[in-house]
Amino acid sequence: MKNLKRIMLAVAATASLLAPALPAMAQASDQFIAIPSYRVGPYGTNGQSYYGGYIDYLSYVNLKEGGINGVKLSWEECETEYNNAKGVECYERLKGKNPVTKGTAINAMATGIAYALIDKTAEDKVPLLMVGYGRTDAVDGSVFPYAFPLVTTYQMQVSAIVKYLASKNNGSLAGKKIVFLYHDSAYGKEPVVALEAEATLGKFKLVQIPVAHPGNEQGAQWLKIRQENPDYVIFWGWGVMNQTALKAAQKVGFARDKIIGSWWAGSEEDTVPAGDAAKGYLSATWNVSGKGVPLIADIEKVVYGAGKGNMQDKAKIGSILYNRGVSAALATVEAIRTAQAKYGKGKVMSGEDVRWGLENLNITNARLQQLGASGLLPEIKTSCDNHEGSGKIKIQQWDGGKWVLVSDWIEGNKNLIHPLFKASAAKYAKEKGITPACMK
């Protein structure tokens, strides 16, 4: 009987840990946001921090401002386990929720799920947010009017990483060898075309090495890296793959300050579990960590002070992924606010309205300062031609206990990368019978 009681208590505790803090049932007067999330599975730890920050910001807007011009935000999560089929199932379930038909934004934080949803969301007129992930050629709004790979795309990110590495070598990587170690998925493959173009332009040798999902077996890959003896490793990892790679690099004696990861391989969830093996490791980021950003400190005060916080582990407030979730939610809210300015303050926005707001975002440094978010993320200015809005990153380095910024904002090579977007989008339009045109 005692064992049964202990088991029941353990189950209850686990359910409490995984259950997201949700607002009251959505009302017809709410602005509903559907959230296909993942808090379990091989990437669940990352999802907990990211979605914790995302939802905390939505709660913050409700508590601090009473919503957006009086319109309360409501939302519902659906567990995808980072699985494409489950992501589609979640979308189909959530899109039927009242008042989802009156306007929502979908943010799955999974490139594979975004690929699976990109046609469905366009047909349903539901904006698909891909904030720092997703299908890169959706930058072209004349072909992808409802898809928004906001802030910075994978291709512009990898271009900026190459620019940073070149700056450490007197401006040139000619004659150097770079290994691209990547998650063998849509996410990992997305920057390949850009990296190949950079290799041709910069005259460096590129060696591509895939890692099978979930990435906890990398012995063969790091043996090959040791044999190749590259100058740098550009690392496109996710979840358990990241700490595994850092430990493997230490084992084969590859210097961690010669490894530079994507922003999904640059969080505390990646470095802390790797221990000493992570020290010196570099990664890209489009948001900063820490509670030094006034907005993050105020979220903790307002939301957690009211007992409405989403994070079970409050120590992660201010972490890279938590702050990234806040940043993504901030962009979502500002798009709705922009839509209201055109279609009616204090009104619930339709999917078409929110789409316009996303395509006409102008989050300036002055606006970020008003929000208490100066320096948290770069300025974002979108248009039909540019659903990305920034294209900038910073480089950070793990000092053994925290992330330290080692660069200012770096923009990828637009003249090289944006034509790649356009060519890919044009091919997609031809295949789908789409006549490219900007929506009004």
Side-chain angles (χ1 to χ4, degrees):
M1 193 66 180
K2 288 183 178 179
N3 286 340
L4 178 60
K5 187 175 181 180
R6 277 198 295 269
I7 291 171
M8 291 176 68
L9 287 171
V11 170
T14 301
S16 174
L17 175 65
L18 295 177
L22 293 173
M25 183 66 68
Q27 303 298 314
S29 58
D30 291 348
Q31 188 76 51
F32 182 84
I33 298 173
I35 306 176
S37 62
Y38 45 91
R39 295 177 182 258
V40 299
Y43 312 107
T45 302
N46 303 65
Q48 287 172 28
S49 296
Y50 177 89
Y51 287 107
Y54 193 92
I55 289 172
D56 277 351
Y57 186 75
L58 301 182
S59 295
Y60 176 77
V61 172
N62 281 346
L63 291 166
K64 185 85 171 182
E65 301 181 38
I68 305 173
N69 296 311
V71 178
K72 287 292 185 76
L73 298 167
S74 63
W75 55 89
E76 183 175 333
E77 286 189 79
C78 180
E79 179 61 52
T80 70
E81 298 180 27
Y82 199 77
N83 176 280
N84 294 350
K86 289 183 179 179
V88 174
E89 289 173 9
C90 282
Y91 170 72
E92 294 295 343
R93 181 165 76 79
L94 292 172
K95 79 175 186 180
K97 295 278 183 178
N98 181 43
V100 67
T101 53
K102 299 183 82 174
T104 188
I106 294 285
N107 177 25
M109 217 258 281
T111 295
I113 295 175
Y115 264 77
L117 291 178
I118 205 159
D119 290 336
K120 292 177 181 289
T121 50
E123 183 179 345
D124 294 336
K125 297 182 178 179
V126 174
L128 174 63
L129 275 79
M130 301 179 291
V131 190
Y133 68 92
R135 183 167 180 144
T136 300
D137 57 4
V139 168
D140 187 348
S142 70
V143 177
F144 299 95
Y146 277 87
F148 293 85
L150 284 177
V151 188
T152 304
T153 57
Y154 290 141
Q155 292 184 18
M156 284 293 281
Q157 176 187 194
V158 83
S159 177
I161 289 172
V162 168
K163 183 181 287 188
Y164 173 78
L165 293 177
S167 74
K168 299 300 177 183
N169 291 272
N170 298 316
S172 174
L173 291 172
K176 302 291 185 183
K177 181 189 290 187
I178 295 177
V179 161
F180 179 55
L181 183 68
Y182 65 96
H183 192 280
D184 196 7
S185 66
Y187 153 63
K189 296 172 184 176
E190 188 70 21
V192 168
V193 64
L195 194 50
E196 289 176 341
E198 286 283 6
T200 299
L201 181 67
K203 299 179 181 179
F204 60 85
K205 182 178 180 182
L206 178 64
V207 179
Q208 300 179 43
I209 303 177
V211 176
H213 158 84
N216 52 1
E217 295 291 338
Q218 296 181 42
Q221 286 87 349
W222 282 94
L223 177 60
K224 181 171 176 58
I225 288 171
R226 185 171 67 179
Q227 292 169 343
E228 290 284 351
N229 191 28
D231 296 282
Y232 299 102
V233 170
I234 295 178
F235 178 54
W236 231 252
W238 182 227
V240 70
M241 176 178 168
N242 299 338
Q243 57 182 281
T244 302
L246 293 173
K247 291 175 182 177
Q250 183 186 50
K251 188 174 181 180
V252 301
F254 192 84
R256 263 70 73 213
D257 63 0
K258 298 295 184 182
I259 308 172
I260 186 162
S262 80
W263 51 60
W264 298 121
S267 70
E268 291 83 354
E269 282 80 0
D270 308 314
T271 50
V272 171
D276 291 341
K279 191 171 184 180
Y281 168 62
L282 297 153
S283 88
T285 186
W286 56 266
N287 66 279
V288 302
S289 63
K291 298 180 186 179
V293 177
L295 174 61
I296 303 301
D298 203 37
I299 288 172
E300 184 172 28
K301 178 183 175 182
V302 172
V303 178
Y304 288 81
K308 301 289 187 181
N310 192 266
M311 293 295 294
Q312 293 292 327
D313 185 357
K314 295 180 184 178
K316 291 188 175 180
I317 297 171
S319 67
I320 281 287
L321 287 175
Y322 179 88
N323 287 10
R324 187 164 298 159
V326 169
S327 300
L330 183 153
T332 306
V333 168
E334 289 303 293
I336 297 169
R337 198 186 305 277
T338 300
Q340 281 195 14
K342 179 176 175 66
Y343 297 107
K345 289 185 178 181
K347 295 182 179 180
V348 175
M349 295 292 100
S350 69
E352 293 98 320
D353 298 340
V354 176
R355 187 214 69 81
W356 187 91
L358 284 162
E359 193 168 89
N360 291 274
L361 267 180
N362 187 18
I363 305 176
T364 63
N365 283 328
R367 179 58 181 157
L368 289 172
Q369 186 172 9
Q370 288 176 347
L371 294 168
S374 292
L376 177 62
L377 67 160
E379 293 182 294
I380 302 171
K381 185 174 176 58
T382 58
S383 65
C384 175
D385 289 333
N386 189 349
H387 278 194
E388 180 181 36
S390 172
K392 296 178 181 179
I393 64 165
K394 288 186 177 183
I395 304 297
Q396 60 184 2
Q397 186 168 36
W398 185 251
D399 70 359
K402 64 183 183 302
W403 288 106
V404 178
L405 292 172
V406 294
S407 83
D408 202 344
W409 292 112
I410 303 170
E411 185 176 51
N413 185 348
K414 274 188 175 180
N415 292 334
L416 177 68
I417 304 302
H418 275 228
L420 299 176
F421 296 168
K422 286 288 187 182
S424 179
K427 180 181 177 182
Y428 177 88
K430 185 176 181 180
E431 290 171 354
K432 298 288 183 175
I434 297 170
T435 301
C438 290
M439 296 182 68
K440 299 298 183 183

Short mmCIF file of all heavy atoms in Angstrom, two decimals, residues 338-370:
data_model
loop_
_atom_site.label_atom_id
_atom_site.label_comp_id
_atom_site.label_asym_id
_atom_site.label_seq_id
_atom_site.Cartn_x
_atom_site.Cartn_y
_atom_site.Cartn_z
N THR A 338 0.29 45.67 -34.23
CA THR A 338 0.40 46.36 -35.52
C THR A 338 -0.87 46.18 -36.33
O THR A 338 -1.36 47.13 -36.97
CB THR A 338 1.61 45.82 -36.31
OG1 THR A 338 2.80 46.04 -35.55
CG2 THR A 338 1.75 46.50 -37.66
N ALA A 339 -1.42 44.96 -36.31
CA ALA A 339 -2.67 44.70 -37.03
C ALA A 339 -3.82 45.53 -36.46
O ALA A 339 -4.63 46.09 -37.21
CB ALA A 339 -3.01 43.21 -36.95
N GLN A 340 -3.88 45.64 -35.12
CA GLN A 340 -4.93 46.44 -34.50
C GLN A 340 -4.85 47.91 -34.92
O GLN A 340 -5.87 48.57 -35.08
CB GLN A 340 -4.86 46.34 -32.97
CG GLN A 340 -5.45 45.07 -32.39
CD GLN A 340 -5.66 45.19 -30.88
OE1 GLN A 340 -5.62 46.28 -30.32
NE2 GLN A 340 -5.88 44.06 -30.22
N ALA A 341 -3.63 48.40 -35.06
CA ALA A 341 -3.46 49.81 -35.45
C ALA A 341 -4.10 50.09 -36.80
O ALA A 341 -4.53 51.21 -37.08
CB ALA A 341 -1.98 50.17 -35.47
N LYS A 342 -4.17 49.07 -37.65
CA LYS A 342 -4.77 49.24 -38.99
C LYS A 342 -6.26 48.86 -39.00
O LYS A 342 -7.08 49.56 -39.60
CB LYS A 342 -4.02 48.38 -40.02
CG LYS A 342 -4.61 48.48 -41.43
CD LYS A 342 -3.77 47.69 -42.43
CE LYS A 342 -4.40 47.67 -43.82
NZ LYS A 342 -4.43 49.02 -44.44
N TYR A 343 -6.59 47.76 -38.32
CA TYR A 343 -7.94 47.21 -38.46
C TYR A 343 -8.87 47.49 -37.28
O TYR A 343 -10.04 47.11 -37.32
CB TYR A 343 -7.86 45.70 -38.71
CG TYR A 343 -7.16 45.35 -40.00
CD1 TYR A 343 -5.88 44.80 -40.00
CD2 TYR A 343 -7.78 45.59 -41.23
CE1 TYR A 343 -5.23 44.49 -41.19
CE2 TYR A 343 -7.15 45.29 -42.42
CZ TYR A 343 -5.88 44.74 -42.40
OH TYR A 343 -5.25 44.43 -43.58
N GLY A 344 -8.34 48.13 -36.23
CA GLY A 344 -9.21 48.49 -35.12
C GLY A 344 -8.66 48.13 -33.76
O GLY A 344 -8.60 46.95 -33.42
N LYS A 345 -8.26 49.14 -33.00
CA LYS A 345 -7.76 48.90 -31.65
C LYS A 345 -8.88 48.34 -30.78
O LYS A 345 -10.04 48.76 -30.88
CB LYS A 345 -7.23 50.19 -31.03
CG LYS A 345 -5.92 50.67 -31.63
CD LYS A 345 -5.38 51.89 -30.90
CE LYS A 345 -4.05 52.34 -31.49
NZ LYS A 345 -3.51 53.52 -30.77
N GLY A 346 -8.50 47.38 -29.93
CA GLY A 346 -9.48 46.78 -29.03
C GLY A 346 -10.35 45.73 -29.68
O GLY A 346 -11.32 45.28 -29.07
N LYS A 347 -9.99 45.32 -30.91
CA LYS A 347 -10.76 44.29 -31.60
C LYS A 347 -9.93 43.02 -31.75
O LYS A 347 -8.70 43.07 -31.81
CB LYS A 347 -11.18 44.79 -33.00
CG LYS A 347 -12.15 45.96 -32.97
CD LYS A 347 -12.54 46.35 -34.39
CE LYS A 347 -13.53 47.51 -34.39
NZ LYS A 347 -13.92 47.91 -35.77
N VAL A 348 -10.62 41.87 -31.82
CA VAL A 348 -9.95 40.60 -32.10
C VAL A 348 -9.58 40.57 -33.58
O VAL A 348 -10.41 40.84 -34.44
CB VAL A 348 -10.86 39.41 -31.76
CG1 VAL A 348 -10.19 38.10 -32.16
CG2 VAL A 348 -11.18 39.40 -30.26
N MET A 349 -8.34 40.27 -33.86
CA MET A 349 -7.85 40.26 -35.22
C MET A 349 -8.04 38.89 -35.88
O MET A 349 -7.84 37.85 -35.25
CB MET A 349 -6.36 40.62 -35.26
CG MET A 349 -6.04 42.04 -34.80
SD MET A 349 -6.64 43.33 -35.92
CE MET A 349 -8.17 43.86 -35.08
N SER A 350 -8.42 38.90 -37.14
CA SER A 350 -8.55 37.66 -37.91
C SER A 350 -7.17 37.18 -38.34
O SER A 350 -6.17 37.90 -38.19
CB SER A 350 -9.41 37.91 -39.15
OG SER A 350 -8.71 38.75 -40.06
N GLY A 351 -7.12 35.98 -38.90
CA GLY A 351 -5.87 35.47 -39.42
C GLY A 351 -5.30 36.37 -40.49
O GLY A 351 -4.09 36.63 -40.55
N GLU A 352 -6.17 36.88 -41.37
CA GLU A 352 -5.73 37.80 -42.43
C GLU A 352 -5.17 39.09 -41.82
O GLU A 352 -4.16 39.62 -42.32
CB GLU A 352 -6.89 38.14 -43.36
CG GLU A 352 -7.40 36.96 -44.18
CD GLU A 352 -8.63 36.31 -43.55
OE1 GLU A 352 -8.67 36.17 -42.31
OE2 GLU A 352 -9.54 35.96 -44.32
N ASP A 353 -5.80 39.58 -40.75
CA ASP A 353 -5.33 40.80 -40.10
C ASP A 353 -3.95 40.59 -39.50
O ASP A 353 -3.04 41.43 -39.65
CB ASP A 353 -6.30 41.22 -38.99
CG ASP A 353 -7.69 41.56 -39.48
OD1 ASP A 353 -7.84 41.85 -40.69
OD2 ASP A 353 -8.63 41.52 -38.66
N VAL A 354 -3.77 39.47 -38.79
CA VAL A 354 -2.49 39.19 -38.14
C VAL A 354 -1.40 38.99 -39.18
O VAL A 354 -0.25 39.40 -39.00
CB VAL A 354 -2.60 37.97 -37.20
CG1 VAL A 354 -1.24 37.62 -36.60
CG2 VAL A 354 -3.60 38.25 -36.06
N ARG A 355 -1.77 38.37 -40.30
CA ARG A 355 -0.80 38.22 -41.40
C ARG A 355 -0.28 39.58 -41.84
O ARG A 355 0.92 39.77 -42.03
CB ARG A 355 -1.48 37.50 -42.58
CG ARG A 355 -0.51 37.13 -43.71
CD ARG A 355 -1.14 37.21 -45.08
NE ARG A 355 -1.42 38.60 -45.45
CZ ARG A 355 -0.50 39.43 -45.95
NH1 ARG A 355 0.75 39.03 -46.13
NH2 ARG A 355 -0.82 40.68 -46.26
N TRP A 356 -1.19 40.55 -42.01
CA TRP A 356 -0.77 41.90 -42.40
C TRP A 356 0.15 42.49 -41.34
O TRP A 356 1.15 43.14 -41.66
CB TRP A 356 -1.99 42.80 -42.60
CG TRP A 356 -1.63 44.14 -43.16
CD1 TRP A 356 -1.57 44.50 -44.47
CD2 TRP A 356 -1.24 45.31 -42.41
NE1 TRP A 356 -1.17 45.80 -44.60
CE2 TRP A 356 -0.96 46.34 -43.35
CE3 TRP A 356 -1.10 45.58 -41.06
CZ2 TRP A 356 -0.56 47.61 -42.96
CZ3 TRP A 356 -0.69 46.85 -40.66
CH2 TRP A 356 -0.43 47.86 -41.60
N GLY A 357 -0.19 42.29 -40.08
CA GLY A 357 0.64 42.80 -38.99
C GLY A 357 2.03 42.22 -39.01
O GLY A 357 3.02 42.93 -38.79
N LEU A 358 2.13 40.94 -39.31
CA LEU A 358 3.45 40.28 -39.38
C LEU A 358 4.25 40.79 -40.56
O LEU A 358 5.47 40.91 -40.49
CB LEU A 358 3.27 38.77 -39.48
CG LEU A 358 2.89 38.06 -38.19
CD1 LEU A 358 2.33 36.67 -38.48
CD2 LEU A 358 4.09 37.95 -37.25
N GLU A 359 3.57 41.12 -41.65
CA GLU A 359 4.27 41.59 -42.86
C GLU A 359 4.63 43.07 -42.79
O GLU A 359 5.38 43.57 -43.63
CB GLU A 359 3.42 41.31 -44.09
CG GLU A 359 4.18 41.45 -45.41
CD GLU A 359 3.42 40.89 -46.59
OE1 GLU A 359 2.64 41.65 -47.20
OE2 GLU A 359 3.59 39.69 -46.88
N ASN A 360 4.10 43.74 -41.79
CA ASN A 360 4.37 45.18 -41.63
C ASN A 360 4.94 45.50 -40.26
O ASN A 360 4.75 46.60 -39.73
CB ASN A 360 3.10 45.98 -41.89
CG ASN A 360 2.68 45.94 -43.35
OD1 ASN A 360 3.14 46.73 -44.16
ND2 ASN A 360 1.82 44.99 -43.69
N LEU A 361 5.67 44.54 -39.70
CA LEU A 361 6.32 44.76 -38.41
C LEU A 361 7.43 45.80 -38.52
O LEU A 361 8.15 45.83 -39.52
CB LEU A 361 6.95 43.45 -37.91
CG LEU A 361 6.13 42.56 -36.98
CD1 LEU A 361 6.96 41.32 -36.63
CD2 LEU A 361 5.71 43.27 -35.73
N ASN A 362 7.55 46.61 -37.50
CA ASN A 362 8.66 47.57 -37.44
C ASN A 362 9.04 47.74 -35.97
O ASN A 362 8.69 48.73 -35.34
CB ASN A 362 8.28 48.90 -38.08
CG ASN A 362 9.48 49.83 -38.18
OD1 ASN A 362 10.63 49.40 -38.10
ND2 ASN A 362 9.23 51.11 -38.35
N ILE A 363 9.74 46.73 -35.46
CA ILE A 363 10.17 46.76 -34.06
C ILE A 363 11.54 47.43 -34.01
O ILE A 363 12.57 46.80 -34.26
CB ILE A 363 10.22 45.34 -33.45
CG1 ILE A 363 8.87 44.64 -33.63
CG2 ILE A 363 10.59 45.41 -31.97
CD1 ILE A 363 8.86 43.19 -33.14
N THR A 364 11.54 48.72 -33.74
CA THR A 364 12.77 49.50 -33.71
C THR A 364 13.45 49.38 -32.35
O THR A 364 12.86 48.88 -31.39
CB THR A 364 12.45 50.98 -33.97
OG1 THR A 364 11.61 51.45 -32.90
CG2 THR A 364 11.73 51.17 -35.29
N ASN A 365 14.67 49.86 -32.28
CA ASN A 365 15.36 49.89 -30.99
C ASN A 365 14.61 50.77 -29.99
O ASN A 365 14.58 50.48 -28.79
CB ASN A 365 16.80 50.37 -31.17
CG ASN A 365 17.71 49.30 -31.72
OD1 ASN A 365 17.52 48.12 -31.46
ND2 ASN A 365 18.72 49.70 -32.49
N ALA A 366 14.00 51.84 -30.50
CA ALA A 366 13.21 52.71 -29.63
C ALA A 366 12.02 51.95 -29.04
O ALA A 366 11.69 52.10 -27.86
CB ALA A 366 12.72 53.93 -30.40
N ARG A 367 11.38 51.12 -29.87
CA ARG A 367 10.26 50.32 -29.38
C ARG A 367 10.74 49.26 -28.39
O ARG A 367 10.08 49.02 -27.37
CB ARG A 367 9.53 49.65 -30.56
CG ARG A 367 8.35 48.76 -30.15
CD ARG A 367 7.32 49.51 -29.35
NE ARG A 367 6.21 48.65 -28.94
CZ ARG A 367 5.42 48.90 -27.91
NH1 ARG A 367 5.62 49.99 -27.16
NH2 ARG A 367 4.43 48.08 -27.60
N LEU A 368 11.86 48.64 -28.68
CA LEU A 368 12.41 47.66 -27.74
C LEU A 368 12.71 48.31 -26.39
O LEU A 368 12.48 47.71 -25.33
CB LEU A 368 13.68 47.02 -28.33
CG LEU A 368 13.47 46.06 -29.50
CD1 LEU A 368 14.80 45.66 -30.11
CD2 LEU A 368 12.70 44.82 -29.07
N GLN A 369 13.21 49.53 -26.43
CA GLN A 369 13.48 50.25 -25.19
C GLN A 369 12.19 50.51 -24.42
O GLN A 369 12.15 50.36 -23.19
CB GLN A 369 14.20 51.57 -25.48
CG GLN A 369 14.65 52.31 -24.22
CD GLN A 369 15.53 53.51 -24.54
OE1 GLN A 369 15.67 53.91 -25.69
NE2 GLN A 369 16.12 54.10 -23.51
N GLN A 370 11.13 50.89 -25.12
CA GLN A 370 9.83 51.10 -24.48
C GLN A 370 9.34 49.83 -23.79
O GLN A 370 8.72 49.88 -22.72
CB GLN A 370 8.78 51.53 -25.51
CG GLN A 370 8.94 52.94 -26.04
CD GLN A 370 7.91 53.25 -27.12
OE1 GLN A 370 7.24 52.36 -27.64
NE2 GLN A 370 7.80 54.53 -27.46
#
